[in-house]
């Protein structure tokens, strides 16, 4: 099982949403003024969202 955690204190939200743009599985979405997680079970553990986040606010790990 995959666990994705977004540190909202570090996240710039919609201002800096590269993680949403690069996710090949469309797990991360913009919902109003914050980034949300949907269909976490479809995550491929590619970790590209972690790589592009300038604030290191996205954490992906196998649970």
């Amino acid at each position: 099982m995959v666990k994705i955690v977004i540190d909202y204190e570090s996240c710039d939200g919609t201002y800096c949403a590269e993680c949403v743009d690069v996710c090949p599985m469309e797990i991360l979405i913009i919902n109003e003024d914050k980034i949300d997680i949907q269909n976490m079970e479809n995550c491929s553990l590619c970790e590209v969202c972690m790589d592009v986040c300038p604030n290191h606010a996205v954490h992906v790990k196998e649970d």
Side-chain angles (χ1 to χ4, degrees):
M1 182 126 185
V2 175
K3 183 173 184 180
I4 303 170
V5 177
I6 298 174
D7 178 1
Y8 288 107
E9 289 184 23
S10 298
C11 180
D12 287 336
T14 57
Y15 172 74
C16 178
E18 285 120 358
C19 59
V20 173
D21 294 335
V22 300
C23 180
M25 305 306 289
E26 299 180 356
I27 306 295
L28 303 175
I29 60 168
I30 297 175
N31 185 10
E32 294 183 17
D33 63 344
K34 73 174 195 169
I35 296 171
D36 275 342
I37 303 165
Q38 67 175 4
N39 304 321
M40 192 179 317
E41 66 277 359
N42 293 335
C43 178
S44 65
L45 289 167
C46 68
E47 297 181 355
V48 70
C49 55
M50 290 176 37
D51 294 340
V52 300
C53 181
N55 299 328
H56 308 286
V58 182
H59 305 279
V60 178
K61 55 187 162 185
E62 196 163 10
D63 201 22

